[in-house]
Amino acid sequence: MSEFSRLVDLRQLVLEPLNLEATEAECAALARRFDLVAVLRLTAEVTIAQDRNKILAKGRLKADIVQSCAISGEDLPVRIAEPLNLRFVPAGVERRPDEEVELALDDLDEIEFGGTSIDLGEALAQSMALAIDPFAEGPDADRVRREVGLLDEGSAGPFAALAKLTKPN
């Protein structure tokens, strides 16, 4: 079972946008799942429509998280605001193992479902996870790099050492 499950019965679709919000316990569970310091808030407003056998979910995801700086390990608060454009497709479309499949940009956000419901909450949790920068750096990242010898005083980024090699002495 998903930490943030919100099942939507496809037999009872409504035209009004759905407002979803994770509880405090769900936020804590999502933080553990995605190895974050904290998920403070996860909300979304989503409109659902049916297009033949596909279900389209469009809207906006918002989250406030705390993750660790990739360099210093310090807590780094991050605000996520992402557009959502998900397409749920029926599971079980069989393809031959040797069949070549070309994916268009629109095909990348397809989520398979079975039965008469979709788990919109799980799709939102995964969308939040994809929006997290795994290499996010806090304000003390350069100080920590200098302390451990990864950054010289006066260098201007990761390619500064290469730039020195191209300059004549």
Side-chain angles (χ1 to χ4, degrees):
M1 178 107 177
S2 170
E3 299 85 353
F4 180 53
S5 183
R6 296 295 186 276
L7 295 178
V8 175
D9 189 334
L10 301 177
R11 298 167 295 184
Q12 299 176 5
L13 290 180
V14 294
L15 296 177
E16 298 85 34
L18 299 173
N19 291 301
L20 294 93
E21 184 170 354
T23 66
E24 191 175 314
E26 289 167 332
C27 286
L30 288 168
R32 284 189 299 277
R33 175 181 174 184
F34 297 121
D35 197 26
L36 298 168
V37 175
V39 175
L40 304 172
R41 177 180 70 110
L42 172 59
T43 64
E45 183 176 289
V46 182
T47 302
I48 298 178
Q50 190 162 1
D51 179 20
R52 292 184 227 133
N53 63 343
K54 297 178 179 117
I55 306 300
L56 308 176
K58 295 184 179 191
R60 190 130 188 102
L61 167 84
K62 294 180 182 178
D64 290 316
I65 66 168
V66 180
Q67 67 183 98
S68 297
C69 169
I71 304 300
S72 70
E74 293 177 301
D75 288 358
L76 180 62
V78 177
R79 176 158 285 160
I80 296 171
E82 293 282 319
L84 292 170
N85 192 6
L86 306 170
R87 184 171 31 187
F88 294 85
V89 296
V93 176
E94 300 276 334
R95 290 192 175 93
R96 293 188 334 262
D98 61 340
E99 179 182 4
E100 187 172 319
V101 177
E102 288 194 36
L103 294 176
L105 188 57
D106 289 346
D107 296 332
L108 299 179
D109 286 334
E110 285 190 350
I111 302 166
E112 288 189 346
F113 74 94
T116 59
S117 64
I118 59 172
D119 192 345
L120 191 54
E122 176 59 20
L124 296 175
Q126 291 179 22
S127 295
M128 179 192 74
L130 290 172
I132 296 170
D133 179 358
F135 304 108
E137 296 180 7
D140 289 333
D142 283 343
R143 178 188 55 78
V144 172
R145 281 188 185 100
R146 276 191 292 279
E147 287 174 2
V148 297
L150 294 175
L151 184 67
D152 295 330
E153 294 292 332
S155 73
F159 299 106
L162 292 174
K164 289 179 187 175
L165 294 175
T166 61
K167 291 181 182 176
N169 290 341

